[in-house]
Amino acid sequence: MSRLVIVSNRVGPVRDAARAGGLAVALVDALRARGGLWYGWSGDTNNQSAGVKVEQAGPLQLATADLTEDEYDDYYNGFANRCLWPLFHYRIDLTAFDRRYYEGYRRVNAKFASGLFPLLREDDTIWVHDYHFLAFGNELRQMGAEQAIGFFLHIPFPSPEVLATLPNHDALVRGLFAYDVLGFQTSRDLERFCDFVVREAGGHVEGDRVTCFGRTIIARAFPIGIDTEGFAKMAAESEDARRQQEKAVRSLRGRAQMIGVDRLDYTKGLPERFQAFERLLDDYPDARGELVYLQIAPTSRGDVQAYREMRQELEGLSGHINGQYGEFDWTPLRYINRAFARRSLAGLYRASKIGLITPLRDGMNLVAKEYVAAQNPEDPGVLILSRFAGAIYQMPEAIAVNPYDIKEVADAIQNARYMSLEERQERFQALFDGLKRDDVAYWRDSFLATLEHEAPMHRNTERSA
Ligand code: ADQ
């Protein structure tokens, strides 16, 4: 088996999964089994060039490089998080179209590619991740890399009209054709990519072969999963999870708990979610004193203005809801801005009768999957899931809602509160079976099989043609 080289912005078995987000969680799970080299940003900024640092961490070699302050501003806070992130989540209003950011982004992609190039072996398989490194493959190719290189996009791919608002969209999409395999979260993302290639770039599509800019690549949907059985076992059996669950149940004193867990990000629809909870308390007085909504939302990307503003808005809303509806012995909304250990999180999911996951847009959403995996099959909770999360395509047995429709979400919560045990069990079983089948190992193996077995055959045919 060839060596696997993973490239992603953040690297390694992270201590703070909440801040690192879903990508790091998924890759830790994916790589535990296979080992290899994992390369990316150290998380530090340093204006002296320290080069690439390589260290061993169990079966993994971790290779990291620092960013300078300017690179951090232009590449990470700038193009990645103030331009690509909002734009790919359909927030044109929050997108900063600043060409300086794009230049910084290209420079950092080139710098990281030149840091990796000398570490590569001839038969490595290279798997690049997410919107930070759209241009990475092209930079490596220009240095002469001939290895199989795949790319997986963890966030949505926008519609052609939205992508076309970006001044450098043509160069970015052209760069993607340096990869051999492109992976998307859902078939809708894949369709939008193909649409762009055909309508905006004059390419053509035949099955999963996409031709443009003189190259043919494989593009496919590979919906990311979680370690379903591992997570379920942790929720049911680990001492920490059980302790956290008992603590939660004790503090609820017979009341039901509804949970949301999200990085504090404007794509997650938190203000709308808080408003839906308020609407529930308004429209359904029987929920007052009976339901506690626990929202865990650790701060992320605090350097970006839009994130600071949203945080203030949420503090205002939560204060208002608790002031308006709270009783001396009942706090309706428990809003917590910090990370929890994964085991504790598993216990909290299990203690919750409802999982309320209503992003305005989300590539996949692993929290929805974790919530289901953590349930007690004898008495499972109900998942309410946004129709704009990628996960909805794999989880049709969740209650699907439009997160912008406050009344619809309030009604869904009320419906979930009174759902019969039989219906809850049926929905849970169907969801759990799906998550067990399409877990993180399946995601990893199917992507790598395409990259390692299908792409080389395809490259050979291209060469001999
Ligand atoms: P994220 O936007 O970070 O991921 P998500 O998929 O839900 O969103 O993953 C978040 C992860 O962080 C989960 O594993 C969750 O348990 C963990 N987490 C969140 N809050 C936490 C807390 N307070 N304490 C501990 N852990 C916490 C991006 C994309 C998603 C895509 C993933 C993976 O935006 O759409 O599903 O990558 O591809």
Side-chain angles (χ1 to χ4, degrees), residues 18 22 154 185 263 268 296 338 340 362-366 370:
H154 290 254
Q185 296 277 26
R263 277 185 309 101
K268 303 291 183 185
I296 299 176
R338 68 174 173 82
F340 279 74
D362 217 330
M364 178 54 65
N365 196 296
L366 299 182
E370 291 167 0

Side-chain angles (χ1 to χ4, degrees), residues 15-27 29 85 89 129-131 152-156 185 224-226 231 260-265 267-268 296-301 336-343 345 349 357 359 361-370 389-391 443:
R15 261 171 236 105
D16 189 351
R19 276 195 177 72
L23 182 152
V25 173
L27 288 182
D29 282 345
W85 175 268
H89 288 89
H129 290 263
D130 227 3
Y131 61 103
F152 185 80
L153 183 67
H154 290 254
I155 63 175
Q185 296 277 26
I224 196 168
I226 60 167
F231 203 89
V261 175
D262 310 76
R263 277 185 309 101
L264 194 58
D265 193 292
T267 61
K268 303 291 183 185
I296 299 176
T299 318
S300 80
R301 303 174 196 166
I336 302 175
N337 283 139
R338 68 174 173 82
F340 279 74
R342 290 181 65 67
R343 287 168 195 277
L345 211 53
Y349 289 136
I357 318 286
R361 239 348 123 165
D362 217 330
M364 178 54 65
N365 196 296
L366 299 182
V367 170
K369 297 188 171 186
E370 291 167 0
W443 169 74

Side-chain angles (χ1 to χ4, degrees), residues 127-205:
W127 191 6
V128 182
H129 290 263
D130 227 3
Y131 61 103
H132 311 89
F133 285 134
L134 295 168
F136 189 91
N138 193 37
E139 297 293 344
L140 266 188
R141 292 274 185 239
Q142 288 188 10
M143 288 164 200
E146 290 195 346
Q147 290 87 343
I149 316 180
F151 177 84
F152 185 80
L153 183 67
H154 290 254
I155 63 175
F157 193 86
S159 66
E161 293 80 3
V162 172
L163 185 55
T165 63
L166 186 68
N168 307 100
H169 64 270
D170 42 353
L172 278 182
V173 175
R174 180 185 283 267
L176 286 175
F177 280 79
Y179 294 108
D180 298 301
V181 176
L182 291 184
F184 298 92
Q185 296 277 26
T186 69
S187 51
R188 297 301 298 277
D189 297 304
L190 173 63
E191 274 165 31
R192 287 189 286 259
F193 169 73
C194 293
D195 228 28
F196 184 93
V197 170
V198 172
R199 291 209 272 140
E200 296 275 339
H204 64 93
V205 179

